[in-house]
Amino acid sequence: MAAQRPPITSGWLLAALSAAAGAGLFRVFAGSEWTLPALFVALAPHALVLLTRRRWSVELMAGVLALGGIVVVSAIVHPSTTTIGVPSFHTLREFARSFSESTEVLRSAVTPVDASGDPLQLALLALWATSSIAALLHARAVVLGAIAPSLVYFVAIGAVGEGSWLATTAVYGIAIALYLLASHQEDVRERRTWFHTKHETHSRVVPGGALAAIVVVIAALGAGQLLPGARSAAWFDYRSLGEGSGDGTWRTVTPLVEIRGQLEQDDEVELFTVRAEEPSYWRLVALDRFDGEVWGLEGDAPDAGDALPPAPSPDQSRRLVQEVTLGPLATRWLPAAYQPRAVSLDDARVIPESLTLVAGDEVDPGTTYTVVSDIPTPSRTELQSSPYVTDDPELARYLELPGDFPERVRELATAIVGGQSPYDAARSLQRYLRDNFAYDLNGPAGHSEDALEDFLFESRRGFCEQFSAAFAAMGRSIGLPTRVAVGFTPGTRGTDGVYRVTNLEAHAWPEVFLAGIGWTAFEPTPGRFEPTPGDPTGTGALAPD
């Protein structure tokens, strides 16, 4: 005889268990805007299975849940690409692009993460899958097995999250106990036979068991913290995989996780301040690797005192001293004007290829350090006379493109620059993007090859991430060594001479290597003005605030 399906009571308690697992996201995401979408994602699969389980086969329910997860999650995470709330082709393409970057999100995200874009999609998609598998197992009367998906999800969230875990663990533990007790009660009721009493049988375990379960969970949470080793450091610091440690290899895709998420926040948060005589782009990192999906960085980070290069001659640069005070920046990448020559922070390190400064230890808000930078000031004649670089193994990585790089992107770049010198070619690419494209935070996100083609030939709108990535890819396609810098625009200068930099100043821009001069910043994003002395970009270094 086939196993009887459990009644709806325990099914809804299992749905509550999935929601309790999703509550663990409070330790991952900043703010609370994600809570209602997450609650819907946790409950919807259970509701669908409970309402259709007597009419649909398990195979049909599984197929509907798989398709429904893609549609629902993509509509929640990428609402600007939908048509009256209905996912479009662009929505699904954004979903696929974001899904392909999920491993980089896990590797580089630093909690608390802004609840938008790639991190939100990954969390909701995993929660939908967790709830769907649990609901299908419950429909097949696999009571204990139905707990496993939410348990795996809850443990995974606990591993990447931060902050207090008591409340979420208590809720989850109680939810498990109530589900098991309800399932036991239903099992007792369903096992009655014809010779038993006609009155419905009730488990004697349930009334006392529910109270006992609550007491045990609360006691365990309190006593668990007192056990030896409960508060000791982890034996394996998984968080260091996202950035790096010591002299070893440091990796990232972007230290801001997603620039648009910073720019779209309603609240303006001061992330750090800089006391300096003149403005600059405060650079965090330069991304030098492009695999067709994401721009990233990988390099060793020796001690900054040993690896920072000596200052150039005074006639080739302009010195800028910065006193940086960190606020809630939540990253070990240290903002500084390019090119840094000295930094006062203890245990500061540098990735030599890009002069990216990083902190060897965790940096607390309120930390102050001084950076001395020498900003190159080449003449216009020197810029225009810089030749193309050929056969230089140290620059080879800055010309690399995937083997399937779109040929029409290369053809467009070639048509824009013609036979110009490297500097004039970079200026032409910059001018083409500034004059023919629109800055729009609601434009399709991403910088993969598909996103690049959509940006250049379809939407022609985006924000700094698209403009800088498009410039860098096109530059490489015509022989310009190029990388993508990530950091902040100068911010607002107060009467005390201090620049206050907020999340709204998050920015990305390309850098091009010019022979005899070095790395030079360009600014293809409309409405942005790179403030380097001498205005090599031609965007107006002295543009009004």
Side-chain angles (χ1 to χ4, degrees):
M1 179 180 296
Q4 297 181 5
R5 293 187 176 92
I8 288 180
T9 304
S10 62
W12 285 114
L13 284 174
L14 182 63
L17 178 60
S18 294
L25 293 172
F26 275 110
R27 300 183 60 229
V28 174
F29 288 136
S32 59
E33 296 82 0
W34 57 270
T35 52
L36 287 180
L39 182 62
F40 176 81
V41 166
L43 299 181
H46 291 279
L48 178 64
V49 171
L50 289 171
L51 295 175
T52 62
R53 64 193 178 93
R54 298 190 182 278
R55 298 188 297 273
W56 293 4
S57 67
V58 172
E59 292 75 14
L60 177 59
M61 287 188 291
V64 171
L65 287 171
L67 179 61
I70 295 175
V71 172
V72 171
V73 173
S74 60
I76 291 174
V77 179
H78 309 289
S80 63
T81 64
T82 62
T83 303
I84 318 178
V86 178
S88 65
F89 173 75
H90 288 301
T91 308
L92 298 179
R93 191 157 70 174
E94 275 299 292
F95 175 90
R97 188 275 314 163
S98 185
F99 182 78
S100 68
E101 297 180 6
S102 58
T103 56
E104 298 296 345
V105 170
L106 290 173
R107 189 176 69 178
S108 63
V110 179
T111 55
V113 178
D114 182 55
S116 64
D118 298 350
L120 180 62
Q121 176 172 303
L122 181 61
L124 294 185
L125 192 61
L127 183 57
W128 182 281
T130 295
S131 300
S132 299
I133 295 172
L136 291 173
L137 290 172
H138 184 77
R140 298 298 298 268
V142 185
V143 174
L144 292 178
I147 298 175
S150 68
L151 180 61
V152 171
Y153 187 86
F154 186 76
V155 171
I157 291 298
V160 300
E162 65 175 15
S164 176
W165 49 269
L166 290 175
T168 55
T169 305
V171 170
Y172 184 73
I174 291 171
I176 286 181
L178 294 179
Y179 167 67
L180 290 176
L181 290 170
S183 298
H184 176 70
Q185 166 63 40
E186 292 166 354
D187 183 64
V188 169
R189 184 171 59 243
E190 292 175 359
R191 289 179 183 275
R192 289 184 300 119
T193 60
W194 63 273
F195 55 83
H196 281 123
T197 175
K198 295 182 179 180
H199 298 289
E200 185 172 297
T201 304
H202 293 278
S203 170
R204 296 180 180 179
V205 176
V206 173
L211 178 61
I214 294 174
V215 172
V216 169
V217 169
I218 294 176
L221 292 175
Q225 299 182 80
L226 303 178
L227 295 175
R231 296 180 180 274
S232 61
W235 66 271
F236 175 63
D237 184 11
Y238 63 89
R239 295 179 191 275
S240 66
L241 295 177
E243 295 181 339
S245 60
D247 294 334
T249 300
W250 288 64
R251 302 180 180 89
T252 190
V253 176
T254 165
L256 297 177
V257 181
E258 187 187 51
I259 295 173
R260 183 166 68 176
Q262 299 284 334
L263 300 177
E264 288 182 327
Q265 290 183 17
D266 294 331
D267 297 330
E268 185 174 2
V269 179
E270 183 178 291
L271 300 180
F272 61 96
T273 63
V274 183
R275 181 181 297 277
E277 291 297 323
E278 58 189 37
S280 177
Y281 276 6
W282 315 118
R283 184 173 175 272
L284 286 179
V285 63
L287 310 176
D288 56 20
R289 298 184 182 276
F290 180 55
D291 63 4
E293 294 295 333
V294 295
W295 287 85
L297 163 71
E298 183 173 335
D300 295 337
D303 184 85
D306 300 327
L308 283 171
S313 62
D315 60 343
Q316 295 178 325
S317 64
R318 182 170 178 173
R319 176 148 293 185
L320 179 63
V321 178
Q322 311 127 72
E323 182 182 271
V324 181
T325 300
L326 299 177
L329 186 56
T331 180
R332 289 162 69 183
W333 308 93
L334 303 175
Y338 187 75
Q339 301 168 343
R341 300 296 179 182
V343 57
S344 66
L345 186 68
D346 292 339
D347 199 28
R349 300 181 177 277
V350 62
I351 299 175
E353 293 83 0
S354 59
L355 297 186
T356 294
L357 297 178
V358 295
D361 296 321
E362 296 293 335
V363 182
D364 297 323
T367 299
T368 297
Y369 59 91
T370 300
V371 180
V372 178
S373 300
D374 288 298
I375 303 174
T377 55
S379 67
R380 188 58 54 89
T381 300
E382 290 173 321
L383 289 166
Q384 291 177 327
S385 61
S386 174
Y388 278 94
V389 179
T390 59
D391 299 327
D392 188 335
E394 293 186 1
L395 294 175
R397 73 164 72 177
Y398 305 105
L399 291 170
E400 290 178 353
L401 288 171
D404 60 349
F405 186 76
E407 188 59 31
R408 64 172 177 163
V409 175
R410 193 188 312 271
E411 292 172 353
L412 174 62
T414 301
I416 292 170
V417 305
Q420 295 176 319
S421 68
Y423 172 69
D424 289 333
R427 286 282 300 270
S428 294
L429 288 177
Q430 173 182 270
R431 184 167 53 252
Y432 177 79
L433 292 170
R434 289 177 69 92
D435 293 349
N436 297 284
F437 292 72
Y439 183 87
D440 183 1
L441 281 175
N442 294 319
H447 40 244
S448 65
E449 290 179 359
D450 289 341
L452 173 63
E453 289 190 273
D454 181 78
F455 172 70
L456 290 175
F457 303 107
E458 300 295 336
S459 70
R460 301 176 71 86
R461 58 192 178 94
F463 54 106
C464 58
E465 183 179 356
Q466 280 74 51
F467 283 95
S468 58
F471 180 105
M474 287 196 294
R476 290 189 174 193
S477 73
I478 58 171
L480 296 178
T482 314
R483 63 194 184 193
V484 176
V486 177
F488 299 86
T489 54
T492 303
R493 188 180 189 184
T495 55
D496 56 357
V498 174
Y499 292 91
R500 288 168 172 78
V501 187
T502 74
N503 54 298
L504 300 185
E505 275 80 55
H507 192 46
W509 62 95
E511 294 177 338
V512 176
F513 184 85
L514 298 175
I517 296 168
W519 290 99
T520 302
F522 286 85
E523 184 48 274
T525 303
R528 302 296 184 269
F529 305 93
E530 206 280 325
T532 300
D535 191 20
T537 67
T539 59
L542 301 179
D545 294 337

PDB file of all heavy atoms in Angstrom, residues 17 20 154 166-180 213-214 217 221:
ATOM      1  N   LEU A  17       9.151  26.498   8.916  1.00  0.00           N
ATOM      2  CA  LEU A  17      10.547  26.134   9.119  1.00  0.00           C
ATOM      3  C   LEU A  17      11.431  26.727   8.023  1.00  0.00           C
ATOM      4  O   LEU A  17      12.530  27.222   8.294  1.00  0.00           O
ATOM      5  CB  LEU A  17      10.674  24.611   9.148  1.00  0.00           C
ATOM      6  CG  LEU A  17      12.081  24.039   9.310  1.00  0.00           C
ATOM      7  CD1 LEU A  17      12.700  24.503  10.623  1.00  0.00           C
ATOM      8  CD2 LEU A  17      12.053  22.517   9.253  1.00  0.00           C
ATOM      9  N   ALA A  20      11.852  30.281   8.795  1.00  0.00           N
ATOM     10  CA  ALA A  20      12.800  30.467   9.889  1.00  0.00           C
ATOM     11  C   ALA A  20      14.237  30.344   9.395  1.00  0.00           C
ATOM     12  O   ALA A  20      15.123  31.071   9.850  1.00  0.00           O
ATOM     13  CB  ALA A  20      12.527  29.442  10.986  1.00  0.00           C
ATOM     14  N   PHE A 154      20.351  26.957   6.495  1.00  0.00           N
ATOM     15  CA  PHE A 154      20.553  27.717   7.726  1.00  0.00           C
ATOM     16  C   PHE A 154      22.017  27.685   8.153  1.00  0.00           C
ATOM     17  O   PHE A 154      22.581  28.701   8.558  1.00  0.00           O
ATOM     18  CB  PHE A 154      19.665  27.156   8.834  1.00  0.00           C
ATOM     19  CG  PHE A 154      19.701  27.961  10.105  1.00  0.00           C
ATOM     20  CD1 PHE A 154      19.020  29.163  10.196  1.00  0.00           C
ATOM     21  CD2 PHE A 154      20.421  27.519  11.199  1.00  0.00           C
ATOM     22  CE1 PHE A 154      19.063  29.914  11.366  1.00  0.00           C
ATOM     23  CE2 PHE A 154      20.469  28.255  12.371  1.00  0.00           C
ATOM     24  CZ  PHE A 154      19.784  29.454  12.459  1.00  0.00           C
ATOM     25  N   LEU A 166      21.811  34.260  18.205  1.00  0.00           N
ATOM     26  CA  LEU A 166      20.920  33.663  19.191  1.00  0.00           C
ATOM     27  C   LEU A 166      19.468  33.658  18.732  1.00  0.00           C
ATOM     28  O   LEU A 166      18.780  32.633  18.778  1.00  0.00           O
ATOM     29  CB  LEU A 166      21.055  34.396  20.522  1.00  0.00           C
ATOM     30  CG  LEU A 166      22.375  34.188  21.272  1.00  0.00           C
ATOM     31  CD1 LEU A 166      22.423  35.060  22.517  1.00  0.00           C
ATOM     32  CD2 LEU A 166      22.541  32.728  21.647  1.00  0.00           C
ATOM     33  N   ALA A 167      18.972  34.820  18.295  1.00  0.00           N
ATOM     34  CA  ALA A 167      17.550  34.928  17.957  1.00  0.00           C
ATOM     35  C   ALA A 167      17.186  34.027  16.784  1.00  0.00           C
ATOM     36  O   ALA A 167      16.199  33.275  16.848  1.00  0.00           O
ATOM     37  CB  ALA A 167      17.203  36.382  17.641  1.00  0.00           C
ATOM     38  N   THR A 168      17.968  34.075  15.713  1.00  0.00           N
ATOM     39  CA  THR A 168      17.630  33.275  14.541  1.00  0.00           C
ATOM     40  C   THR A 168      17.748  31.782  14.824  1.00  0.00           C
ATOM     41  O   THR A 168      16.946  30.980  14.346  1.00  0.00           O
ATOM     42  CB  THR A 168      18.542  33.649  13.358  1.00  0.00           C
ATOM     43  OG1 THR A 168      19.917  33.518  13.756  1.00  0.00           O
ATOM     44  CG2 THR A 168      18.287  35.074  12.902  1.00  0.00           C
ATOM     45  N   THR A 169      18.737  31.379  15.634  1.00  0.00           N
ATOM     46  CA  THR A 169      18.886  29.966  15.975  1.00  0.00           C
ATOM     47  C   THR A 169      17.747  29.484  16.855  1.00  0.00           C
ATOM     48  O   THR A 169      17.255  28.361  16.699  1.00  0.00           O
ATOM     49  CB  THR A 169      20.234  29.717  16.673  1.00  0.00           C
ATOM     50  OG1 THR A 169      21.288  30.201  15.843  1.00  0.00           O
ATOM     51  CG2 THR A 169      20.448  28.240  16.945  1.00  0.00           C
ATOM     52  N   ALA A 170      17.308  30.330  17.796  1.00  0.00           N
ATOM     53  CA  ALA A 170      16.184  29.963  18.656  1.00  0.00           C
ATOM     54  C   ALA A 170      14.916  29.747  17.837  1.00  0.00           C
ATOM     55  O   ALA A 170      14.202  28.757  18.014  1.00  0.00           O
ATOM     56  CB  ALA A 170      15.961  31.043  19.704  1.00  0.00           C
ATOM     57  N   VAL A 171      14.643  30.669  16.918  1.00  0.00           N
ATOM     58  CA  VAL A 171      13.447  30.545  16.079  1.00  0.00           C
ATOM     59  C   VAL A 171      13.513  29.285  15.233  1.00  0.00           C
ATOM     60  O   VAL A 171      12.534  28.534  15.120  1.00  0.00           O
ATOM     61  CB  VAL A 171      13.289  31.798  15.188  1.00  0.00           C
ATOM     62  CG1 VAL A 171      12.202  31.582  14.137  1.00  0.00           C
ATOM     63  CG2 VAL A 171      12.953  33.011  16.046  1.00  0.00           C
ATOM     64  N   TYR A 172      14.679  29.030  14.656  1.00  0.00           N
ATOM     65  CA  TYR A 172      14.814  27.854  13.795  1.00  0.00           C
ATOM     66  C   TYR A 172      14.692  26.560  14.600  1.00  0.00           C
ATOM     67  O   TYR A 172      14.038  25.601  14.174  1.00  0.00           O
ATOM     68  CB  TYR A 172      16.159  27.896  13.068  1.00  0.00           C
ATOM     69  CG  TYR A 172      16.338  26.756  12.092  1.00  0.00           C
ATOM     70  CD1 TYR A 172      15.634  26.727  10.895  1.00  0.00           C
ATOM     71  CD2 TYR A 172      17.182  25.691  12.386  1.00  0.00           C
ATOM     72  CE1 TYR A 172      15.776  25.670  10.007  1.00  0.00           C
ATOM     73  CE2 TYR A 172      17.337  24.639  11.503  1.00  0.00           C
ATOM     74  CZ  TYR A 172      16.625  24.632  10.317  1.00  0.00           C
ATOM     75  OH  TYR A 172      16.757  23.582   9.449  1.00  0.00           O
ATOM     76  N   GLY A 173      15.320  26.514  15.770  1.00  0.00           N
ATOM     77  CA  GLY A 173      15.246  25.311  16.593  1.00  0.00           C
ATOM     78  C   GLY A 173      13.830  25.005  17.041  1.00  0.00           C
ATOM     79  O   GLY A 173      13.383  23.843  17.010  1.00  0.00           O
ATOM     80  N   ILE A 174      13.096  26.025  17.428  1.00  0.00           N
ATOM     81  CA  ILE A 174      11.705  25.821  17.854  1.00  0.00           C
ATOM     82  C   ILE A 174      10.849  25.380  16.674  1.00  0.00           C
ATOM     83  O   ILE A 174       9.964  24.525  16.805  1.00  0.00           O
ATOM     84  CB  ILE A 174      11.164  27.119  18.490  1.00  0.00           C
ATOM     85  CG1 ILE A 174      11.882  27.378  19.829  1.00  0.00           C
ATOM     86  CG2 ILE A 174       9.660  27.033  18.696  1.00  0.00           C
ATOM     87  CD1 ILE A 174      11.574  28.730  20.427  1.00  0.00           C
ATOM     88  N   ALA A 175      11.112  25.947  15.495  1.00  0.00           N
ATOM     89  CA  ALA A 175      10.335  25.564  14.307  1.00  0.00           C
ATOM     90  C   ALA A 175      10.540  24.086  13.967  1.00  0.00           C
ATOM     91  O   ALA A 175       9.590  23.381  13.606  1.00  0.00           O
ATOM     92  CB  ALA A 175      10.735  26.442  13.121  1.00  0.00           C
ATOM     93  N   ILE A 176      11.775  23.589  14.099  1.00  0.00           N
ATOM     94  CA  ILE A 176      12.027  22.165  13.860  1.00  0.00           C
ATOM     95  C   ILE A 176      11.244  21.312  14.854  1.00  0.00           C
ATOM     96  O   ILE A 176      10.604  20.311  14.488  1.00  0.00           O
ATOM     97  CB  ILE A 176      13.534  21.850  13.968  1.00  0.00           C
ATOM     98  CG1 ILE A 176      14.281  22.373  12.750  1.00  0.00           C
ATOM     99  CG2 ILE A 176      13.766  20.342  14.094  1.00  0.00           C
ATOM    100  CD1 ILE A 176      15.764  22.069  12.769  1.00  0.00           C
ATOM    101  N   ALA A 177      11.290  21.692  16.126  1.00  0.00           N
ATOM    102  CA  ALA A 177      10.601  20.909  17.154  1.00  0.00           C
ATOM    103  C   ALA A 177       9.098  20.857  16.894  1.00  0.00           C
ATOM    104  O   ALA A 177       8.466  19.790  16.998  1.00  0.00           O
ATOM    105  CB  ALA A 177      10.892  21.510  18.528  1.00  0.00           C
ATOM    106  N   LEU A 178       8.498  21.968  16.560  1.00  0.00           N
ATOM    107  CA  LEU A 178       7.053  22.001  16.322  1.00  0.00           C
ATOM    108  C   LEU A 178       6.680  21.178  15.096  1.00  0.00           C
ATOM    109  O   LEU A 178       5.650  20.488  15.088  1.00  0.00           O
ATOM    110  CB  LEU A 178       6.594  23.448  16.155  1.00  0.00           C
ATOM    111  CG  LEU A 178       6.716  24.326  17.413  1.00  0.00           C
ATOM    112  CD1 LEU A 178       6.257  25.750  17.107  1.00  0.00           C
ATOM    113  CD2 LEU A 178       5.906  23.742  18.565  1.00  0.00           C
ATOM    114  N   TYR A 179       7.486  21.224  14.066  1.00  0.00           N
ATOM    115  CA  TYR A 179       7.201  20.414  12.873  1.00  0.00           C
ATOM    116  C   TYR A 179       7.264  18.918  13.193  1.00  0.00           C
ATOM    117  O   TYR A 179       6.391  18.143  12.781  1.00  0.00           O
ATOM    118  CB  TYR A 179       8.193  20.766  11.767  1.00  0.00           C
ATOM    119  CG  TYR A 179       8.172  19.782  10.616  1.00  0.00           C
ATOM    120  CD1 TYR A 179       7.050  19.676   9.785  1.00  0.00           C
ATOM    121  CD2 TYR A 179       9.251  18.940  10.373  1.00  0.00           C
ATOM    122  CE1 TYR A 179       7.021  18.765   8.735  1.00  0.00           C
ATOM    123  CE2 TYR A 179       9.230  18.033   9.323  1.00  0.00           C
ATOM    124  CZ  TYR A 179       8.107  17.949   8.515  1.00  0.00           C
ATOM    125  OH  TYR A 179       8.069  17.033   7.483  1.00  0.00           O
ATOM    126  N   LEU A 180       8.280  18.501  13.926  1.00  0.00           N
ATOM    127  CA  LEU A 180       8.405  17.090  14.276  1.00  0.00           C
ATOM    128  C   LEU A 180       7.272  16.630  15.170  1.00  0.00           C
ATOM    129  O   LEU A 180       6.732  15.524  15.004  1.00  0.00           O
ATOM    130  CB  LEU A 180       9.762  16.838  14.953  1.00  0.00           C
ATOM    131  CG  LEU A 180      10.994  16.952  14.055  1.00  0.00           C
ATOM    132  CD1 LEU A 180      12.265  16.783  14.875  1.00  0.00           C
ATOM    133  CD2 LEU A 180      10.941  15.938  12.925  1.00  0.00           C
ATOM    134  N   ALA A 213      10.417  21.309  24.152  1.00  0.00           N
ATOM    135  CA  ALA A 213      11.285  21.685  23.032  1.00  0.00           C
ATOM    136  C   ALA A 213      11.716  23.132  23.137  1.00  0.00           C
ATOM    137  O   ALA A 213      12.885  23.470  22.912  1.00  0.00           O
ATOM    138  CB  ALA A 213      10.561  21.438  21.714  1.00  0.00           C
ATOM    139  N   ILE A 214      10.775  24.003  23.486  1.00  0.00           N
ATOM    140  CA  ILE A 214      11.105  25.422  23.621  1.00  0.00           C
ATOM    141  C   ILE A 214      12.123  25.628  24.739  1.00  0.00           C
ATOM    142  O   ILE A 214      13.105  26.364  24.589  1.00  0.00           O
ATOM    143  CB  ILE A 214       9.829  26.238  23.885  1.00  0.00           C
ATOM    144  CG1 ILE A 214       8.904  26.173  22.648  1.00  0.00           C
ATOM    145  CG2 ILE A 214      10.161  27.685  24.213  1.00  0.00           C
ATOM    146  CD1 ILE A 214       7.555  26.818  22.871  1.00  0.00           C
ATOM    147  N   VAL A 217      15.642  24.304  23.621  1.00  0.00           N
ATOM    148  CA  VAL A 217      16.314  25.182  22.659  1.00  0.00           C
ATOM    149  C   VAL A 217      16.896  26.400  23.347  1.00  0.00           C
ATOM    150  O   VAL A 217      18.061  26.778  23.139  1.00  0.00           O
ATOM    151  CB  VAL A 217      15.326  25.605  21.549  1.00  0.00           C
ATOM    152  CG1 VAL A 217      15.934  26.732  20.711  1.00  0.00           C
ATOM    153  CG2 VAL A 217      14.987  24.424  20.659  1.00  0.00           C
ATOM    154  N   LEU A 221      20.935  27.299  23.810  1.00  0.00           N
ATOM    155  CA  LEU A 221      21.547  28.522  23.312  1.00  0.00           C
ATOM    156  C   LEU A 221      22.330  29.234  24.403  1.00  0.00           C
ATOM    157  O   LEU A 221      23.394  29.816  24.158  1.00  0.00           O
ATOM    158  CB  LEU A 221      20.475  29.458  22.744  1.00  0.00           C
ATOM    159  CG  LEU A 221      19.777  28.973  21.465  1.00  0.00           C
ATOM    160  CD1 LEU A 221      18.660  29.926  21.091  1.00  0.00           C
ATOM    161  CD2 LEU A 221      20.769  28.852  20.331  1.00  0.00           C
TER     162      LEU A 221
END
